[in-house]
Structure formats: structure tokens, C-alpha cells
Amino acid sequence: MKKSYCPIDTFINVVKGKRKSTIILHLSQGNKRYNELVKLIPDISERMMSKQLKELEADNLINRKVFPEVPPKVEYSLTDLGKEIHPFLKGMFKGGIIFEKMIDAEEN
């Protein structure tokens, strides 16, 4: 995580990436295992999913808990920081719906 000139840019730089915001939105609904996230976000490769999860963990937005089982069970959840930024991402989601409706209206 790195500060930018403007706090808005700092926020966007942390959550931008292939489906980082979507991962946070899904985790806001409860803890998820890796395979659950892959099924919920089908347009991301497993390699990219792993990369984004590692970056979100490094930025302290998600927790990764490994259970001592065979095969290993890994579960992801939001940290307090992840929970704190969730309302802003939810607002962006709603804004996206507004823009999508406008795009659909222009196409028809």
C-alpha cells in the first residue's frame, strides 16, 4: 500500500486489480473458501485469483486462515479494514448499475 497525491487515488490504487473489489464484496457476505470464490467469479483465472488474494492480504483487507487438515482447507474473510471500506465499494457497485442502465438505454 502506498500513498498517492490524493486520497481518492490511494483508495483506487489499493482496490484496483482484476476483481479485487468483487472479491471484497463477496467476502462481505461471509467467509469463503478459495474454490467458492473461483465459482463466484468465473471470468478470472486461478493464477490471477491467487495473485489478487495475496495482494488483498498484504494490504490487510482480507484474512487467510489455513486449517490443519489433509487436504489443507483455506478460508478467506474480511479484516476490520476490509469491512470498513465495504460501504464505499457497495456505493461504487450501485453507481455501476446506474451507468449500465444508461449504456443499455443508449444501445436500444
Side-chain angles (χ1 to χ4, degrees):
M1 200 178 298
K2 184 178 163 189
K3 280 180 77 173
S4 295
Y5 174 74
C6 172
I8 294 170
D9 291 333
T10 302
F11 179 85
I12 290 170
N13 287 336
V14 172
V15 298
K16 77 177 177 183
K18 185 76 173 177
R19 301 288 183 255
K20 282 185 181 179
S21 299
T22 307
I23 292 168
I24 293 169
L25 289 172
H26 282 301
L27 290 177
S28 72
Q29 298 169 356
N31 299 354
K32 303 275 187 279
R33 293 183 64 181
Y34 178 83
N35 284 335
E36 290 178 277
L37 289 169
V38 169
K39 288 177 186 173
L40 289 167
I41 310 169
D43 68 337
I44 184 172
S45 70
E46 290 195 30
R47 180 174 171 258
M48 185 56 71
M49 175 70 81
S50 294
K51 180 180 184 288
Q52 299 308 307
L53 289 169
K54 286 177 186 172
E55 289 178 11
L56 287 167
E57 184 181 13
D59 288 336
N60 196 35
L61 295 172
I62 65 170
N63 290 311
R64 180 180 185 265
K65 183 175 181 182
V66 180
F67 294 88
E69 299 176 4
V70 176
K73 175 183 171 184
V74 178
E75 190 173 83
Y76 295 92
S77 62
L78 290 181
T79 62
D80 289 340
L81 178 60
K83 291 174 185 173
E84 193 172 342
I85 68 161
H86 170 256
F88 302 103
L89 294 175
K90 193 173 179 181
M92 291 171 69
F93 177 85
K94 289 178 181 178
I97 290 172
I98 291 168
F99 288 128
E100 287 178 354
K101 287 179 182 176
M102 191 174 71
I103 292 166
D104 288 344
E106 290 175 358
E107 289 176 354
N108 294 328

